[in-house]
Amino acid sequence: MTHFLTVWTTAANPLENVPTASEFQKWLEKLGEQAFTLLVRLLIALVLLFIGAKLIGFCLKKFKKSKLCQRMDPGLASFTQSASKVVLYILLILILMGVLGLETTSFLALFTSGGVAVALAFQGAVSNLAGGVMILLFHPFRVGDYIETSEIAGTVKEVNVLYTVVITPDNKRVTVPNGSLTNTAITDYSAETRRRVDIVFSAAYASDIDKVKTVILDTANAHEKVLQDPAPEARLKAQSANSLDFQLRAWCAPDDYWDVFFDLNESVKKAFDQNDIEIPFPQVDVHMR
C-alpha cells in the first residue's frame, strides 16, 4: 500500500523532475565552455595540420636534395620518399587526433584488432607494397631502364611504394602496380651495355650472294653508331618462295637501337639501288594450254 502511494504521488507531480532555471543556466554555461574548448582545439588542429603539411614537404625536399639521396639508387630514393611521406602523415593524423581529444590508444587497439580485416580489404595494396620491396631488393630493373612486359613497354621513371611509373615511347605516363611487375616476365633492354639489331633484307634469286652480303656489311660498318666489337655479320637466312633473305646482325648501345635500325633500313635500300640489286616482288607463273 505504501509503495502504491509513493508511485501515485510521483506520477501525480511530474513537474518535480523538470530542471530549475539555475540548473538550466549552469547547463548552458557548461555547454558553452565545452563548445569553446572544442573550437579552440579545432583551431589548434587546423594550425598544426597546416604547419605539419608544410614541414613534411620541407623535409622531403631537403631529403631529395641531400647528398645521401643523390648517392642512393634512384629507385630506392623514390621508394624511400614515398614511404616516408606515408609514415609522416600517419604520425601527423595521430597527433591531430590527440589534440582533438580523441583516444588514440583506442584507435590503435581497434586498428590492431581489425588488422586481418584491413589486410583482406587491402590485399592488393599489400601485394603492391611487397612487390615494391622486392623490386628494390633484387633490382629486376632500375629507374631509367627501358623494359617490356606482356602489357606495357617503356622507360622506368619512378618506383614508388605501391606503383611504378613507366613512360612509353609515345610519351604516355603509365602507372603499373608493383605486384603485377613481380609476377610477370620482364625484358630489360637497358641491363646490358650492348644490344643487337637484327634486320632481314630480301634480294632476287638472280642476285650474287657474295655481292649482296658485301653491300649489306659495308653499309653497316659505315654507320657511326654500329659497334665493331662484335663485328656486324650478314648471312643468307632463307630461300623463300620469291626471294633470298639475308639477315644482318649489328651491335650498338641500347640507347642507339632505333637510330641504327631505321638508318640501316634506309641505307641498305639506297645501296641496293646503287649496286643494281633487285628487291623482288611476289610473282605468279601462269601457263596457258
Side-chain angles (χ1 to χ4, degrees):
M1 187 63 179
T2 305
H3 175 70
F4 173 76
L5 292 174
T6 303
V7 173
W8 181 83
T9 303
T10 304
N13 299 278
L15 295 178
E16 291 182 358
N17 295 326
V18 176
T20 62
S22 60
E23 292 177 344
F24 185 72
Q25 186 176 1
K26 290 180 181 180
W27 179 79
L28 288 177
E29 291 176 355
K30 186 177 181 181
L31 180 62
E33 292 176 357
Q34 292 177 349
F36 179 76
T37 303
L38 179 60
L39 180 61
V40 171
R41 288 185 174 184
L42 183 60
L43 291 176
I44 295 175
L46 291 176
V47 172
L48 288 178
L49 176 61
F50 177 79
I51 296 175
K54 291 293 184 181
L55 186 60
I56 290 173
F58 175 78
C59 293
L60 292 176
K61 288 181 180 178
K62 280 293 184 181
F63 173 76
K64 189 175 182 179
K65 295 179 180 179
S66 65
K67 294 182 179 180
L68 176 62
C69 181
Q70 294 175 359
R71 293 175 182 174
M72 294 171 64
D73 179 79
L76 179 59
S78 176
F79 185 89
T80 303
Q81 291 178 47
S82 300
S84 300
K85 185 176 182 180
V86 172
V87 172
L88 290 174
Y89 269 104
I90 290 175
L91 292 176
L92 179 60
I93 291 173
L94 293 176
I95 293 173
L96 295 178
M97 291 177 64
V99 171
L100 292 174
L102 301 176
E103 291 291 337
T104 56
T105 54
S106 302
F107 173 78
L108 292 175
L110 179 64
F111 182 80
T112 304
S113 61
V116 176
V118 172
L120 291 175
F122 294 95
Q123 56 183 345
V126 174
S127 174
N128 292 336
L129 176 61
V133 174
M134 296 289 288
I135 290 173
L136 293 176
L137 287 178
F138 297 101
H139 295 293
F141 55 83
R142 299 177 183 271
V143 173
D145 287 359
Y146 186 90
I147 64 172
E148 181 179 2
T149 67
S150 59
E151 298 180 350
I152 189 65
T155 303
V156 179
K157 184 177 181 180
E158 299 175 9
V159 180
N160 295 324
V161 177
L162 302 178
Y163 301 97
T164 294
V165 179
V166 177
I167 306 299
T168 62
D170 54 348
N171 205 33
K172 293 178 181 177
R173 182 186 178 96
V174 182
T175 303
V176 187
N178 289 334
S180 63
L181 286 177
T182 55
N183 293 314
T184 189
I186 301 174
T187 303
D188 189 348
Y189 292 102
S190 303
E192 303 297 331
T193 58
R194 296 175 299 187
R195 185 177 175 187
R196 194 177 73 187
V197 181
D198 293 347
I199 309 177
V200 176
F201 300 100
S202 298
Y205 265 95
S207 304
D208 186 310
I209 293 178
D210 293 331
K211 181 179 180 181
V212 174
K213 290 166 59 177
T214 300
V215 170
I216 294 175
L217 284 177
D218 289 344
T219 305
N221 287 320
H223 197 288
E224 59 181 3
K225 294 184 178 179
V226 173
L227 302 178
Q228 297 302 315
D229 185 21
E233 63 175 9
R235 304 296 297 271
L236 177 62
K237 179 182 178 181
Q239 301 180 42
S240 301
N242 301 301
S243 65
L244 297 175
D245 296 333
F246 296 84
Q247 178 160 325
L248 169 65
R249 294 178 176 177
W251 295 84
C252 65
D255 293 340
D256 298 332
Y257 178 86
W258 291 112
D259 289 339
V260 173
F261 180 85
F262 291 121
D263 290 349
L264 290 182
N265 268 293
E266 295 178 4
S267 299
V268 170
K269 172 62 173 66
K270 295 177 181 178
F272 277 8
D273 293 342
Q274 293 174 358
N275 289 273
D276 297 325
I277 297 175
E278 181 183 354
I279 298 177
F281 300 93
Q283 300 178 9
V284 177
D285 294 333
V286 180
H287 300 276
M288 302 293 294
R289 289 187 178 180

